[in-house]
Amino acid sequence: PECTDPSNLSAINVTSAEADLLWTDNANSNLNNIEYGIAGFTQGNGTQIMGTSNNPETISGLNTETTYEFYVQSDCSVNQSQWIGPFSFTTLPTTKLTSAFCDSSVNSLTTNIKALPVTGAESYTFRFTDPISGDIIIYESPTRTVSLSNFSITYDVTYNVDVAVKLNGVIGNYGPVCQLTTPPIPTSRLINALCDDTVIGLNSTIKAIEIIGATSYIFRITNGTDVYVYGSPTRIINLS
């Protein structure tokens, strides 16, 4: 009996490294052979998946921003259809932090960082991973520039940072990892108006220079051998 050729080859859910290949199995064989490779490959020299019952069939390990082709053949056990194809599809590009920020340090937790541009990108998803704690922070930005103030990151940590780009409504794989080191924990002191000054009373209010992101301030007052330490949730305390 004739083994009818498959038709309607297509690829969906294409990312930078994977794609789902599908087709219409007109022979109702439920077994099909696939061959795929970089566009222009010679049949017989591609990657073959024989006797698959999957439709769609997921292929992985693809190169980023590369055009591939695939062919499909129905297997009716007694005989096979013709190889139909090729159908071509292109994997999505990836991106990463620009050279100014990749494997670099920043001097503020409000610094603007940038990813390399991707034509047609709808958004950029930045992922910060603390390699010690394993904590992961993700933020999707409509542009390739984002302020570190959007992330709950801390001082004196070297983060692994990678970026994924959205194209045609699909977020692709994360690109190469860069390391980004935040500045050391900053120090503070009394504001200029109070530093090296005299207060008018023991119930006076004193104030420290503000540190962005600070969750508490620890004041230490030394008088000879006497040391007084007080922790405050704000940068203002009363000497009382």
Side-chain angles (χ1 to χ4, degrees):
E2 180 183 4
C3 192
T4 308
D5 294 340
S7 62
N8 300 322
L9 278 61
S10 62
I12 60 173
N13 302 324
V14 179
T15 69
S16 55
E18 296 183 348
D20 291 339
L21 310 182
L22 69 162
W23 58 93
T24 299
D25 182 6
N26 295 310
N28 294 318
S29 64
N30 295 319
L31 287 177
N32 294 271
N33 304 322
I34 301 171
E35 185 172 6
Y36 69 92
I38 293 176
F41 80 96
T42 301
Q43 261 200 286
N45 295 330
T47 300
Q48 294 186 342
I49 303 173
M50 308 301 287
T52 180
S53 59
N54 298 325
N55 187 359
E57 175 74 31
T58 300
I59 58 174
S60 59
L62 306 179
N63 298 327
T64 181
E65 209 167 358
T66 302
T67 299
Y68 286 85
E69 295 176 340
F70 78 97
Y71 297 79
V72 178
Q73 178 191 58
S74 292
D75 186 346
C76 299
S77 183
V78 176
N79 53 16
Q80 291 80 38
S81 73
Q82 298 295 315
W83 282 98
I84 300 301
F87 178 88
S88 65
F89 63 93
T90 302
T91 54
L92 298 181
T94 59
T95 188
K96 66 173 186 175
L97 295 182
T98 62
S99 58
F101 300 104
C102 188
D103 300 333
S104 185
S105 300
V106 292
N107 56 18
S108 169
L109 294 185
T110 60
T111 297
N112 287 333
I113 61 173
K114 288 185 178 182
L116 294 171
V118 174
T119 301
E122 298 160 8
S123 70
Y124 294 79
T125 298
F126 294 78
R127 179 172 64 178
F128 279 68
T129 303
D130 184 333
I132 296 177
S133 68
D135 292 340
I136 297 175
I137 306 168
I138 294 175
Y139 181 80
E140 185 176 358
S141 169
T143 69
R144 68 186 182 99
T145 302
V146 65
S147 171
L148 292 180
S149 61
N150 290 295
F151 304 87
S152 299
I153 57 177
T154 58
Y155 289 102
D156 205 20
V157 175
T158 296
Y159 289 93
N160 292 329
V161 183
D162 46 10
V163 188
V165 65
K166 180 191 286 186
L167 284 168
N168 301 319
V170 177
I171 297 178
N173 293 47
Y174 285 96
V177 173
C178 293
Q179 290 192 322
L180 187 70
T181 302
T182 55
I185 297 174
T187 59
S188 182
R189 62 175 176 82
L190 295 182
I191 61 174
N192 291 337
L194 296 172
C195 189
D196 298 330
D197 196 18
T198 301
V199 296
I200 59 175
L202 294 182
N203 62 347
S204 298
T205 296
I206 61 175
K207 182 185 298 186
I209 294 173
E210 182 180 11
I211 300 296
I212 295 176
T215 56
S216 67
Y217 293 79
I218 299 175
F219 293 79
R220 183 175 61 182
I221 300 174
T222 303
N223 181 23
T225 58
D226 296 329
V227 179
Y228 305 92
V229 177
Y230 181 79
S232 170
T234 71
R235 65 190 180 104
I236 302 173
I237 65 168
N238 189 287
L239 290 178
S240 62

